[in-house]
Amino acid sequence: MDDSCADANSFWLTAVEKESIRDALIDICYEPTGGRDYIHLIRMTAYQKFPARLLKKLESLKDDDASYCVFENLPIDNTFGSPQGDANSLNFKSGYLSENVLVALGSLIAEPYSIKHEGPKLVNDLVPHPEALGEYTGNGSDVELDLHTENAFQAYDSRGDTSPLALLLLGVRGDPAGVGPKTWVADAREALQALEQADIEILYGKHFIIRQPYRWRNSTAGAKETHVYPILSGPLTHPRVTAAFYPDMVIAADHEAQNTLLRFYNALKSVARPLDIQPGKLVYINNRFMLHSRDKFTPSFDPEGHAYRWIQRLFITNNLWNFRSFNKCGARIFEPVTR
């Protein structure tokens, strides 16, 4: 197989490549706080043993033009359940292979990290929880997580940009019937082409109150959410987008800005593409100008009461320096504190 892909947004691993990755990572002990020695070992192992064309593809994702990429046929563990809350994933699968796969791919693109209230481990488990069905989080299911950039408000954190550069989502377990919610991705650059210049100018202006994500609101970060910010910054060909379209996340300062925001939303919906994150499929999403969403759904459970749907998530950033004012709960787990 040559180095090119039939689709720039899709990367299929051969059976031989899949097994080479499994052999490289299966015996590495996952370190859930992301210790320096663990990250170093993961990176060195990947550089030494991963297929050259995969390394080349991961290197290309550092380019700003990369919007998203779907990696197919990655090795994962055998599962026999799914975790609730902060339970150890090892209690529900055969090893830590999926965590190592996520960290390996993520650490070759940028710096993996986690926010404590998003998950106390480097790799976050997104599993439907019966007590969280109506929450606008990865553990909810009764509500649609509409199009958003991850942790949009944190782009304007006075301590530095603490929103992710990108996120990686890996399917670990799925419904045996093959039924599951779609994850949608929308490239803002495509959507902006459908807008008039007047709308684009409003999106570049300070006309929007951008609220903290729900879990951040219960932290002690002390956010000031009365300031107005732009939705767009940077050059139009490579914009930075900070927006979230599920309820109570972005408030327009006036009627004109609200109409522009609605037109932008409709343009995003028109270019959104559906993805089905099944076991062994990993989706990389560039959080700078790609928005993503997840349909609402009715989760299914195995006879032991464990949800079938199990997605693991990893955040990556260009530099951990912006988290210097946060508490550290391990090498790469950060907790916002009162300013």
Side-chain angles (χ1 to χ4, degrees):
M1 184 177 295
D2 62 28
D3 289 341
S4 63
C5 298
D7 178 353
N9 298 119
S10 181
F11 190 97
W12 282 83
L13 289 110
T14 67
V16 171
E17 289 171 333
K18 176 181 179 178
E19 291 311 307
S20 70
I21 294 172
R22 182 191 302 275
D23 291 344
L25 298 178
I26 196 167
D27 291 328
I28 294 179
C29 184
Y30 169 59
E31 207 286 275
T33 67
R36 182 175 298 175
D37 290 344
Y38 169 67
I39 298 296
H40 176 72
L41 177 60
I42 285 283
R43 280 185 174 135
M44 291 302 296
T45 301
Y47 278 125
Q48 292 170 1
K49 298 185 178 181
F50 275 19
R53 73 184 193 96
L54 175 58
L55 295 175
K56 183 177 179 180
K57 182 63 179 179
L58 294 171
E59 188 70 24
S60 76
L61 293 179
K62 298 178 181 181
D63 191 304
D64 287 342
D65 283 331
S67 54
Y68 75 98
C69 187
V70 180
F71 294 86
E72 302 272 10
N73 201 33
L74 283 161
I76 57 172
D77 311 277
N78 296 321
T79 60
F80 40 85
S82 59
Q84 294 287 319
D86 300 332
N88 190 337
S89 66
L90 193 59
N91 295 333
F92 305 96
K93 57 190 183 75
S94 57
Y96 286 128
L97 180 58
S98 61
E99 285 89 350
N100 289 339
V101 166
L102 267 171
V103 175
L105 270 65
S107 67
L108 294 184
I109 302 168
E111 298 293 340
Y113 75 97
S114 181
I115 299 298
K116 185 180 179 182
H117 55 252
E118 297 276 4
K121 300 184 285 288
L122 185 61
V123 172
N124 308 147
D125 294 305
L126 307 182
V127 177
H129 290 188
E131 70 279 8
L133 297 182
E135 292 183 1
Y136 286 92
T137 70
N139 298 128
S141 56
D142 283 354
V143 293
E144 177 188 12
L145 283 179
D146 213 340
L147 289 168
H148 63 284
T149 51
E150 196 74 26
N151 294 347
F153 174 83
Q154 299 312 122
Y156 298 111
D157 193 321
S158 61
R159 295 163 292 189
D161 183 354
T162 54
S163 66
L165 161 70
L167 61 153
L168 288 77
L169 302 171
L170 174 63
V172 178
R173 192 185 194 213
D175 192 313
V179 178
K182 292 293 190 295
T183 297
W184 296 77
V185 292
D187 191 329
R189 299 171 301 178
E190 296 178 19
L192 291 169
Q193 293 177 16
L195 299 186
E196 300 292 337
Q197 182 62 32
D199 284 332
I200 291 174
E201 290 176 1
I202 289 175
L203 292 174
Y204 271 112
K206 293 183 177 181
H207 301 295
F208 306 93
I209 296 173
I210 302 173
R211 300 200 65 199
Q212 283 194 328
Y214 290 91
R215 282 177 172 164
W216 286 76
R217 296 178 197 180
N218 296 323
S219 74
T220 57
K224 298 177 181 178
E225 296 178 341
T226 57
H227 295 172
V228 286
Y229 299 99
I231 295 294
L232 300 181
S233 59
L236 189 60
T237 54
H238 295 86
R240 179 69 187 277
V241 181
T242 50
F245 290 98
Y246 48 91
D248 198 30
M249 290 298 297
V250 176
I251 303 169
D254 53 48
H255 186 67
E256 186 179 22
Q258 179 60 41
N259 287 338
T260 289
L261 191 64
L262 179 59
R263 285 190 284 271
F264 183 38
Y265 172 73
N266 289 334
L268 287 164
K269 294 288 279 189
S270 72
V271 300
R273 299 173 175 86
L275 302 173
D276 187 9
I277 306 179
Q278 291 293 328
K281 176 183 288 188
L282 183 150
V283 179
Y284 160 90
I285 302 171
N286 186 330
N287 197 50
R288 296 312 192 217
F289 50 77
M290 289 294 292
L291 292 87
H292 65 285
S293 69
R294 189 220 63 217
D295 291 340
K296 66 179 180 179
F297 67 104
T298 300
S300 56
F301 298 85
D302 64 23
E304 286 71 42
H306 302 294
Y308 279 115
R309 178 176 166 85
W310 182 2
I311 304 292
Q312 289 188 321
R313 178 186 64 196
L314 181 70
F315 293 140
I316 58 174
T317 183
N318 277 330
N319 197 315
L320 299 176
W321 174 249
N322 286 346
F323 297 98
R324 62 194 180 278
S325 297
F326 288 31
N327 285 335
K328 292 181 70 173
C329 307
R332 291 170 180 259
I333 315 297
F334 300 101
E335 180 181 27
V337 293
T338 303
R339 284 173 282 190

